[in-house]
Amino acid sequence: MSMISDNLASVNAQIHAACEEFGRKPQSVRLLAVSKTFPHQAVREAYAAGQRSFGENYIQEGVEKTLALVDLPDIEWHMIGPIQSNKTRLVAEHFHWVHSVDRLKIAQRLSEQRPVGLPALQVCLQVNIDGGPNKSGCLPSEAVQLARDICQLQNLQLRGLMVIPEPAPDFIAACAVLMSAKQLFDSIKEQIPGLDTLSMGMSADLRAAVKEGSTMVRVGTAIFGTRV
Ligand SMILES: *Cc1c(COP(=O)(O)O)cnc(C)c1O
């Protein structure tokens, strides 16, 4: 087995173990393999090992990989990085999912620019859950209204929320922030019952994220290795 397929097996086993530990169904947590900075050959290797969903942060780099891998029929591309409004067209044309929608203007452009004939772009609203300095994400207090507005857009389907908390000093602290994301998600779901995706958890806080109700963990380093 290759290193990537070994790593994937190990990450899937970790997700499985965390689900068992915290009483979650194993199928209730999806793995998004974050392939940013790694070449398309690495994605192909992960695909060969059974992985289908991949996350990219940089639009140009992501588009190049989607084009290099068009022969893989059921691959699913997720944009998880910041989106400037002059780059929305590339995202609307080449991705299946976007986790990093944090303002209405971006959502409107993505909907307008989604090519006719493609299914709706699957969207998560990014929320700055802990007031972290990276500044991406809407305020928690803005999330309900923004979610409602996004639901009105014809070519988008709102699936849920994404959060990227600041690194926490320990498990307990990580859980506290992730729990507040789950509470916000649940409160928005009361008004928009179709939501099914809480995108949270990375290599370092995967177990805490599963405990607190993540439905999609985004893992890069533990699958592809350290980024340079
Ligand atoms: C890079 C990145 C990840 C993956 O992080 P790792 O620590 O490598 O697992 C997940 N989510 C987002 C938004 C990222 O930018």
Side-chain angles (χ1 to χ4, degrees), residues 180-193:
S180 69
K182 175 67 158 69
Q183 286 167 347
L184 180 64
F185 177 64
D186 286 343
S187 75
I188 296 176
K189 235 170 93 165
E190 278 173 23
Q191 306 192 30
I192 309 173

Side-chain angles (χ1 to χ4, degrees), residues 34 36 57 80-81 162 164 201-204 218-222 225 227:
V34 178
K36 66 182 177 204
N57 277 59
I80 60 175
M162 171 172 86
I164 313 174
M202 322 206 299
S203 296
R218 309 177 309 265
V219 178
T221 308
R227 290 180 291 274

Side-chain angles (χ1 to χ4, degrees), residues 56-97:
E56 290 284 332
N57 277 59
Y58 311 106
I59 292 169
Q60 199 61 48
E61 178 194 337
V63 169
E64 282 166 21
K65 274 178 234 180
T66 68
L67 297 175
L69 298 169
V70 280
D71 60 307
L72 305 179
D74 50 354
I75 196 166
E76 193 179 79
W77 291 104
H78 295 232
M79 173 49 58
I80 60 175
I83 303 169
Q84 295 167 315
S85 57
N86 64 345
K87 296 281 174 58
T88 49
R89 183 176 299 279
L90 283 171
V91 176
E93 288 177 351
H94 294 278
F95 287 81
H96 302 91
W97 280 69

Side-chain angles (χ1 to χ4, degrees), residues 127-186:
V127 181
N128 186 352
I129 195 66
D130 55 1
N134 85 42
K135 297 252 174 58
S136 289
C138 70
L139 296 172
S141 60
E142 301 168 328
V144 176
Q145 188 58 49
L146 249 172
R148 282 216 192 94
D149 292 341
I150 291 171
C151 286
Q152 302 304 313
L153 299 171
Q154 197 165 15
N155 299 319
L156 304 186
Q157 182 177 4
L158 184 68
R159 297 292 293 269
L161 304 182
M162 171 172 86
V163 295
I164 313 174
E166 290 297 297
D170 55 43
F171 183 77
I172 307 270
C175 287
V177 174
L178 297 166
M179 181 189 282
S180 69
K182 175 67 158 69
Q183 286 167 347
L184 180 64
F185 177 64
D186 286 343

Side-chain angles (χ1 to χ4, degrees), residues 1-11 38-39 41-42 45-46 49 220-227:
M1 282 214 295
S2 74
M3 189 185 77
I4 288 174
S5 72
D6 284 349
N7 290 348
L8 259 176
S10 149
V11 169
F38 291 95
Q41 290 87 347
E45 214 173 309
T221 308
I223 297 170
F224 295 105
T226 306
R227 290 180 291 274

